[in-house]
Amino acid sequence: MTDVNSVNIIGRLTRDLGENDFGYVGTGTARANVSIAVNRSKKQGDEWVDEVSYFDITIWGKTAENLKPYLTKGKQIGVSGHLKQDRWEKDGQKHSRVSIVADVVQLLGGKSESNSDGGYNNGGYQQNYSQNQQSAFTPRNNAPAAPEEPSSEDFPEDIPF
């Protein structure tokens, strides 16, 4: 039995995608490492204060390649994915880090003054993984269709509860 490991988060990129943040792994698959800041307001006493949390996100494959020009500091993105824990030992010290692996990345907000979305405004990219971490690029520009209203024929008149 598997457990549920799912994350949906919206935040702003904390830095431009630099040369150390984007690259190709040994199999030729692209990888982009980004960090987002997520603001949350909470009440302390009589006033509201902002609390900021930072999250590291890894984007794989064609999604990383296609989003590379748009991943700039301050850009708001939505990410659906899963958590991944990395553990390692260095100089006798054990270390651990939890990050988000993106399955779907959505560019949010309008065009900014410093960066044009080039038509990808509110467009999303879905990451499809196979067992060997290879990915396929699937544009997600259309919202899913609204479900149909149930008809009276779908429900019996007498509900047994």
Side-chain angles (χ1 to χ4, degrees), residues 66-85:
N66 290 323
L67 288 176
K68 183 180 177 184
Y70 309 107
L71 297 175
T72 57
K73 183 177 181 177
K75 181 70 179 168
Q76 189 179 42
I77 64 171
V79 176
S80 293
H82 58 276
L83 297 175
K84 181 176 185 289
Q85 183 178 28

Side-chain angles (χ1 to χ4, degrees), residues 98-154:
V98 175
S99 62
I100 299 170
V101 177
D103 296 324
V104 177
V105 176
Q106 180 110 20
L107 300 174
L108 302 174
K111 293 181 181 179
S112 66
E113 293 175 15
S114 63
N115 182 29
S116 170
D117 282 345
Y120 286 98
N121 186 20
N122 290 327
Y125 298 95
Q126 180 172 350
Q127 191 71 41
N128 297 319
Y129 287 99
S130 65
Q131 290 179 343
N132 62 0
Q133 286 289 81
Q134 295 297 319
S135 63
F137 169 70
T138 307
R140 291 178 34 109
N141 294 328
N142 297 328
E148 293 182 23
E149 289 291 320
S151 69
S152 61
E153 297 171 0
D154 292 340

